[in-house]
Amino acid sequence: MLDDYQQLVDEISAALGAPATLENRDFGLIAFGAQDSGRYSDEADEADGADEPALDPVRTRSILRRRSTAAVRAWFEGFGIARAQAPLRIPPDPGAGVFMGRICLPVRHRGVVHGYVWLLDDGHLSDLELGGPAGPPDPRLARAMETAARIGALLASEARADEELGRMLRDLLTGEPGGRDTARTALRAALRGAADGPLALVAVTPWAPGDGADAADAVDYRSARLPSPPGVAAVCVLAGAGPAVPAGPMTSLAALVRLRASTALDPARTAAEHLLRSPEAAAPATASGSGSGAGTGRGGGFAGVSEPRRGLDDLPAAWPEALAAARAARADPRLGPVAEWSAIGPYRLLAALPARTGPDPAVRALLAPSHAELARTAEAFLDCAGQASRTAQALGIHRQTLYYRLSRVEQLTGLDLDAGEDRLLLHMALKSARL
């Protein structure tokens, strides 16, 4: 399939005499044509008085990283490319790192944009007629748009196949028992040998459509056009963030990742990091529900990785693990932004508990915003197994200051920090408040 895309991109480059790049709707690189750097030689620069670099830096970075940055994506989408039905000319803007203009060919199929072909314009395309009220487009550009339509048909076909795999995965993870059996059988047939594992699930939460999506395309954008990093067998969007979270608008992305070995989760972590770079994972910051400052309050998405599984049968049990790890990564900055189920400690138990309407009465006063420093001190003390010297060093305070703060914690909570059960209650309450 990649060879097909490359051939079509080369056709467009040859027809218009300009280097072309093909990106999907999420600005992930699919194929690109060679850029003739000789056109931008030192002699030409001296003759023209130009100071542009030999290669457009935005294009170079997109090729090297296989994806444009969120800032670059937002800048280009500001020109209306997601709604465009015809080619658009985009001027250079050195302030945005775009040293050369672009001609954007929207890649559409049946009215839905699936990607973009970008043509670098160093000036020799300035006379190219894009078409419009003033007249028809240049015949070369019309042929290029016909080729872009063929690319759109290929991307649409891939999107339908990916959407079907995602539907199977969603039914396997959250469907009724009978539906799960059907989905498992269908997914095993679609994945063939990869269905036997080893596999892991990645959860990314929260997940929401990007601002660049057309309102009319919102549903399709959330299902068919989900990112699929290398090693990911299927992706889907699921409502809610786990059984211990009250129902609400939050959604999560589930990704089924192929592993090289059952003891190595590196491919899953790599896929999670890739997914977190998607604009859909860049949600606004959410304050900690505890109000104590215990949560990170950090913006953006977080990801969790389940324990490895051999085959598809145990994936429904792996999904709560991935979600719990994602929630733990969101709660504790020491774990995030990608956390593995095996490394989240007490959050493995706390994430599985039913959602509470509020903190335990014994610690409610301590979790008030005005006592955030006391809550942080108490949690650090308990994390350090009650060792005063380690705690004081970790917090950068004098030991006498620590003792004073701990006495205030006992006064506020009515708990005895010399009693094991009271320590356990306080420790779990503070960790639970992060979630």
Side-chain angles (χ1 to χ4, degrees), residues 249-274:
M250 183 177 290
T251 58
S252 303
L253 182 82
L256 179 61
V257 182
R258 296 183 291 266
L259 304 178
R260 291 186 292 269
S262 59
T263 56
L265 284 170
D266 290 348
R269 290 191 64 91
T270 299
E273 291 165 357
H274 183 110

Side-chain angles (χ1 to χ4, degrees), residues 96-121:
V98 181
F99 286 88
M100 296 182 193
R102 303 288 200 278
I103 292 179
C104 175
L105 309 184
V107 176
R108 286 184 169 267
H109 182 72
R110 295 183 178 177
V112 177
V113 64
H114 288 272
Y116 310 99
V117 172
W118 301 97
L119 297 161
L120 280 182
D121 182 9

Side-chain angles (χ1 to χ4, degrees), residues 104-160:
C104 175
L105 309 184
V107 176
R108 286 184 169 267
H109 182 72
R110 295 183 178 177
V112 177
V113 64
H114 288 272
Y116 310 99
V117 172
W118 301 97
L119 297 161
L120 280 182
D121 182 9
D122 65 338
H124 76 291
L125 295 178
S126 58
D127 296 332
L128 194 67
E129 292 293 339
L130 302 190
D138 187 292
R140 295 172 298 164
L141 194 57
R143 290 195 297 272
M145 285 300 292
E146 292 175 359
T147 304
R150 291 159 59 193
I151 294 174
L154 287 175
L155 288 173
S157 177
E158 282 194 17
R160 286 192 296 271

Side-chain angles (χ1 to χ4, degrees), residues 64-396:
L64 293 176
R65 299 177 181 176
R66 315 299 295 179
R67 176 176 292 275
S68 294
T69 65
V72 167
R73 172 177 176 169
W75 189 83
F76 281 114
E77 285 181 337
F79 289 90
I81 60 174
R83 300 179 295 276
Q85 303 288 334
L88 290 176
R89 193 183 297 277
I90 298 176
D93 184 350
V98 181
F99 286 88
M100 296 182 193
R102 303 288 200 278
I103 292 179
C104 175
L105 309 184
V107 176
R108 286 184 169 267
H109 182 72
R110 295 183 178 177
V112 177
V113 64
H114 288 272
Y116 310 99
V117 172
W118 301 97
L119 297 161
L120 280 182
D121 182 9
D122 65 338
H124 76 291
L125 295 178
S126 58
D127 296 332
L128 194 67
E129 292 293 339
L130 302 190
D138 187 292
R140 295 172 298 164
L141 194 57
R143 290 195 297 272
M145 285 300 292
E146 292 175 359
T147 304
R150 291 159 59 193
I151 294 174
L154 287 175
L155 288 173
S157 177
E158 282 194 17
R160 286 192 296 271
D162 290 344
E163 184 178 10
E164 184 60 28
L165 284 171
R167 186 178 296 111
M168 296 174 192
L169 179 62
R170 182 171 61 247
D171 291 345
L172 175 60
L173 298 181
T174 62
E176 297 298 325
R180 287 185 177 183
D181 293 340
T182 301
R184 184 183 299 108
T185 300
L187 191 57
R188 181 175 287 113
L191 298 181
R192 300 180 181 177
D196 295 328
L199 301 164
L201 281 172
V202 169
V204 179
T205 188
W207 187 268
D211 293 336
D214 294 339
D217 293 342
V219 175
D220 182 61
Y221 186 73
R222 292 182 61 167
S223 56
R225 276 188 293 273
L226 295 175
S228 183
V232 171
V235 292
C236 65
V237 173
L238 300 175
V245 179
M250 183 177 290
T251 58
S252 303
L253 182 82
L256 179 61
V257 182
R258 296 183 291 266
L259 304 178
R260 291 186 292 269
S262 59
T263 56
L265 284 170
D266 290 348
R269 290 191 64 91
T270 299
E273 291 165 357
H274 183 110
L275 290 166
L276 286 176
R277 290 195 291 271
S278 301
E280 294 81 6
T286 302
S288 169
S290 69
S292 69
T296 67
R298 185 169 63 180
F302 297 86
V305 180
S306 74
E307 285 283 87
R309 293 302 198 278
R310 179 65 67 176
L312 305 178
D313 291 346
D314 202 26
L315 287 186
W319 176 236
E321 294 177 0
L323 273 177
R327 292 180 60 205
R330 179 175 181 268
D332 194 331
R334 296 172 298 181
L335 299 173
V338 179
E340 298 176 11
W341 161 257
S342 60
I344 62 174
Y347 295 111
R348 290 164 60 159
L349 295 176
L350 294 173
L353 296 176
R356 293 177 57 94
T357 57
D360 187 273
V363 299
R364 187 174 290 121
L366 179 62
L367 294 177
S370 58
H371 298 310
E373 194 62 40
L374 292 179
R376 188 172 76 93
T377 300
E379 186 174 10
F381 176 70
L382 296 167
D383 286 344
C384 291
Q387 297 181 24
S389 58
R390 283 180 55 198
T391 307
Q393 184 177 9
L395 294 174

